[in-house]
Amino acid sequence: MALNSPSPVVLQVEPFGGSTRRHNTSLPHLYWDDAAVTRGEGVFETLLIHDGKVANFQRHMKRLQASATQLGLAVPDAEHWGQAAAEAAADWCGQIPGKKKPQAAMTWTLTGGRASTGVPSAWITVRALSDTQLKQREEGVAVMTAERGFSFQISPTKKQKPWVSLAAKSLNYTAAMAALREGRAQGFDDVLWVEGDRVLEAATSSVVIVKKDKRLRSPEPAGEIIAGTAVAALFELGEKKGWRCKHKELSVSDLYEAESVWLLSSVRMGARVTRINDKELGSPGKDSLKAVRGLIEEALTR
Amino acid sequence: MALNSPSPVVLQVEPFGGSTRRHNTSLPHLYWDDAAVTRGEGVFETLLIHDGKVANFQRHMKRLQASATQLGLAVPDAEHWGQAAAEAAADWCGQIPGKKKPQAAMTWTLTGGRASTGVPSAWITVRALSDTQLKQREEGVAVMTAERGFSFQISPTKKQKPWVSLAAKSLNYTAAMAALREGRAQGFDDVLWVEGDRVLEAATSSVVIVKKDKRLRSPEPAGEIIAGTAVAALFELGEKKGWRCKHKELSVSDLYEAESVWLLSSVRMGARVTRINDKELGSPGKDSLKAVRGLIEEALTR
């Protein structure tokens, strides 16, 4: 196809349920006194657009609302937000002739807004998938393990403080970005956060392992581990299709011993881990790969 | 005076030493794909403008450069940046007739820039001091102690990982902002981070205590504690003027027993702590207050 790549779409959303406005992406839209810029006060979601539709809308919406609550931001209305998301997806897909539309990545961002107005800023973007994302879906990823270097003290007997907010999907990704830069410099594609031998999550995705007899395992989301919408979608569909799905603490050696190891996220979907540090992981065989890929794809495109 | 408050100034800075450009503050200047907005990848400094000049320029410049290095951002050139800062200060002060200029707050921000261009975004803002800042300088602050809820595992025998970056002054202030919201809801002015009984720092300032015989103490900056430029400036001048200044671990009871307790930052300068949780702190007496205030003011306006 000789098509040019479709242009990104940015749709500004009135946070209190008002109108939406298509924004020219070659113009700036954030002000100098926006809390996203002055304090990093913002939350986001990244979603897959599949067949022109937003996949897993409800899960992302619930997490956006929970993240907003945790950061003390105005909580977006699901219906209004859903309409805006559909509008943005249609705008982007409208650039592509024909009925069949390629997948795209959508991002929702909600910030504390301008200090001078107090009105939250909110916008939705849609852009093409990157070549790297498509390649890693096909070929998998080599990961470097890294210690986050900090831990949470969350005591079940103490009321958890609202500012322990790693569990919110906030804009604070500096540690993840720093680790990714270091990992890439060393020839890795992604970073796997560990705490000693315990596996947490990857820089921007969740870890799932496949064990024999159709068993799926993923670390329990809590504290250091964001509740992955992709894992939730996979487990829900998996259970229906006869897989046994469980959240369970995983060690690095559990990963070595698994049939296959996957990094799950909404847009890249499943990227199989082919190497952990200097240790290559064996391939699980064509049938197993096909079954897992099929399940992931179905779960994440609904 | 019947003067209107001077307007804020925003000056965009070419990060590689090119030109500066005065930006209309009623127009947006950041793009949807700026790393500050998509990932919180940015660093900042807040400085005092005193008598039309940037105070403590070198200390802030060094920290900005160190923060940029830690986050893998382009490191700004001190001379170029200094010229831009002077230009922004002059722009703001130029709005005020007469020779005597009020103090102002300057912020420097440097981000990872737009994904589509890879060019870092950098800008300088100048704005009037807030009434709250001025009031807290005069009347002091009531603080709530709070556990950060996370700790760093920094081992002197292990090379510290580059992504343990609380020590960089990044845009990641969500935890501090959440704690401040909670504190304000409970009637406090500020939040003091503690770890058990150990005093770390306040939400956006450093802790200094005054003990008898002209001794100043502040926790050692490392790991969980940002190296405060204001404390460094205070200690340097204090030593010259016969105060004995030392970084030392402080407990909450050290604060109760001190002559006076101060939160130090560049713009609010010194805010005396008048209450910690439900415990009022006694006043140190007029002479001591005057001596400490004088030292702080001189140190932070140079």
Side-chain angles (χ1 to χ4, degrees):
Chain A
M1 280 216 304
L3 259 184
N4 286 323
S5 209
S7 303
V9 164
V10 175
L11 195 73
Q12 291 202 271
V13 183
E14 275 279 346
F16 299 126
S19 61
T20 54
R21 186 171 64 74
R22 176 83 176 260
H23 184 80
N24 184 334
T25 52
S26 28
L27 292 176
H29 78 281
L30 262 195
Y31 291 81
W32 66 286
D33 62 345
D34 196 286
V37 176
T38 57
R39 296 294 188 194
E41 278 195 289
V43 295
F44 77 104
E45 288 291 322
T46 306
L47 308 91
L48 183 71
I49 306 295
H50 178 80
D51 267 350
K53 291 202 182 59
V54 181
N56 276 312
F57 174 81
Q58 286 302 339
R59 281 194 181 83
H60 286 284
M61 192 68 227
K62 272 184 194 150
R63 191 169 62 181
L64 182 74
Q65 291 173 327
S67 300
T69 303
Q70 211 174 341
L71 265 73
L73 305 177
V75 176
D77 173 72
E79 195 188 327
H80 171 60
W81 198 275
Q83 285 165 0
E87 187 185 336
D91 268 7
W92 190 85
C93 292
Q95 302 177 79
I96 299 145
K99 266 196 111 167
K100 177 85 188 140
K101 309 294 184 183
Q103 291 184 339
M106 173 175 275
T107 303
W108 299 344
T109 311
L110 174 71
T111 88
R114 298 189 63 184
S116 51
T117 66
V119 180
S121 309
W123 67 96
I124 294 174
T125 71
V126 189
R127 61 201 183 284
L129 300 194
S130 73
D131 293 341
T132 306
Q133 285 168 327
L134 294 170
K135 182 168 176 269
Q136 292 179 348
R137 270 192 197 170
E138 290 307 309
E139 299 175 11
V141 286
V143 302
M144 173 182 86
T145 59
E147 291 271 346
R148 266 216 175 104
F150 58 86
S151 67
F152 287 88
Q153 297 120 8
I154 293 165
S155 146
T157 58
K158 264 165 96 172
K159 189 172 152 274
Q160 192 182 329
K161 294 298 184 298
W163 42 86
V164 178
S165 61
L166 188 72
K169 208 167 158 66
S170 81
L171 296 173
N172 293 355
Y173 269 69
T174 47
M177 293 300 112
L180 275 175
R181 267 195 308 277
E182 173 75 13
R184 282 171 188 150
Q186 294 184 28
F188 294 96
D189 302 303
D190 214 325
V191 166
L192 186 65
W193 293 121
V194 295
E195 200 176 276
D197 195 47
R198 187 163 82 96
V199 171
L200 304 175
E201 59 187 353
T204 62
S205 51
S206 305
V207 177
V208 174
I209 68 172
V210 179
K211 300 180 67 159
K212 69 171 159 53
D213 302 325
K214 294 185 87 177
R215 284 177 299 158
L216 303 176
R217 299 286 179 266
S218 183
E220 185 78 50
E224 298 93 334
I225 303 173
I226 286 182
T229 55
V231 174
L234 181 72
F235 276 20
E236 190 187 280
L237 183 69
E239 284 289 342
K240 283 187 193 146
K241 302 218 157 191
W243 295 72
R244 282 178 295 157
C245 306
K246 207 187 270 181
H247 285 290
K248 207 178 164 238
E249 193 164 304
L250 296 178
S251 67
V252 177
S253 48
D254 289 331
L255 270 47
Y256 291 143
E257 288 157 19
E259 264 187 26
S260 55
V261 179
W262 299 80
L263 302 186
L264 228 64
S265 53
S266 297
V267 174
R268 189 174 62 182
M269 304 208 295
R272 191 170 76 82
V273 177
T274 56
R275 181 159 64 92
I276 301 175
N277 299 326
D278 56 0
K279 195 174 159 83
E280 301 284 342
L281 302 187
S283 175
K286 232 161 124 180
D287 289 349
S288 170
L289 262 184
K290 200 179 156 191
V292 179
R293 280 223 170 96
L295 183 69
I296 291 174
E297 189 162 327
E298 187 178 345
L300 299 192
T301 56
R302 296 205 294 174
Chain B
M1 282 212 306
L3 261 184
N4 285 322
S5 210
S7 303
V9 164
V10 176
L11 195 73
Q12 292 202 270
V13 184
E14 275 279 347
F16 300 125
S19 60
T20 55
R21 185 171 64 75
R22 176 84 177 260
H23 184 78
N24 184 335
T25 52
S26 29
L27 292 176
H29 79 280
L30 263 193
Y31 291 81
W32 66 287
D33 62 345
D34 196 286
V37 176
T38 56
R39 295 293 188 194
E41 278 195 288
V43 294
F44 78 104
E45 288 292 323
T46 306
L47 307 91
L48 183 70
I49 305 296
H50 178 80
D51 268 349
K53 290 200 183 62
V54 180
N56 276 314
F57 174 82
Q58 287 301 340
R59 281 193 181 82
H60 286 284
M61 192 68 227
K62 274 186 193 147
R63 192 170 62 181
L64 182 74
Q65 291 174 326
S67 300
T69 302
Q70 212 175 340
L71 264 74
L73 305 177
V75 176
D77 173 71
E79 195 189 326
H80 171 59
W81 198 274
Q83 285 165 1
E87 187 185 337
D91 269 6
W92 190 85
C93 291
Q95 303 176 79
I96 298 145
K99 265 196 110 168
K100 177 86 186 139
K101 309 294 186 185
Q103 291 184 339
M106 173 176 274
T107 303
W108 299 345
T109 311
L110 174 71
T111 87
R114 299 189 62 183
S116 51
T117 66
V119 180
S121 307
W123 67 96
I124 293 174
T125 72
V126 188
R127 61 200 183 286
L129 266 51
S130 74
D131 292 342
T132 306
Q133 285 169 327
L134 294 169
K135 183 169 177 270
Q136 292 179 348
R137 270 192 197 170
E138 289 307 310
E139 299 175 11
V141 288
V143 302
M144 172 182 86
T145 59
E147 291 269 347
R148 267 216 175 102
F150 58 85
S151 67
F152 287 87
Q153 296 121 9
I154 293 166
S155 147
T157 57
K158 263 166 97 175
K159 191 173 151 274
Q160 192 182 330
K161 294 297 185 298
W163 42 84
V164 179
S165 60
L166 187 71
K169 209 168 158 62
S170 81
L171 295 174
N172 294 354
Y173 268 69
T174 47
M177 293 300 111
L180 275 176
R181 267 195 309 278
E182 173 76 12
R184 282 172 189 150
Q186 295 184 28
F188 293 95
D189 302 303
D190 214 323
V191 166
L192 185 65
W193 293 121
V194 295
E195 200 176 275
D197 195 46
R198 188 164 81 96
V199 171
L200 304 176
E201 60 185 353
T204 60
S205 50
S206 306
V207 177
V208 174
I209 67 171
V210 179
K211 299 179 68 159
K212 70 170 159 49
D213 303 327
K214 295 185 84 177
R215 284 176 299 158
L216 302 176
R217 301 285 179 265
S218 182
E220 185 78 52
E224 298 93 336
I225 304 173
I226 287 184
T229 54
V231 175
L234 181 72
F235 277 19
E236 190 188 280
L237 184 69
E239 284 288 343
K240 282 186 195 148
K241 302 219 158 191
W243 295 72
R244 282 177 296 156
C245 307
K246 207 188 269 181
H247 285 290
K248 206 177 165 240
E249 194 165 302
L250 296 179
S251 66
V252 177
S253 47
D254 288 331
L255 269 47
Y256 291 143
E257 289 158 17
E259 265 188 25
S260 56
V261 179
W262 299 80
L263 302 187
L264 228 64
S265 53
S266 297
V267 173
R268 189 174 62 182
M269 302 206 298
R272 190 171 77 84
V273 177
T274 57
R275 181 158 64 91
I276 301 175
N277 300 326
D278 55 1
K279 196 174 159 81
E280 300 284 341
L281 301 188
S283 175
K286 232 162 121 183
D287 288 350
S288 169
L289 262 184
K290 200 180 154 191
V292 179
R293 278 222 171 98
L295 183 68
I296 291 174
E297 189 163 327
E298 187 178 344
L300 299 193
T301 55
R302 295 204 296 173

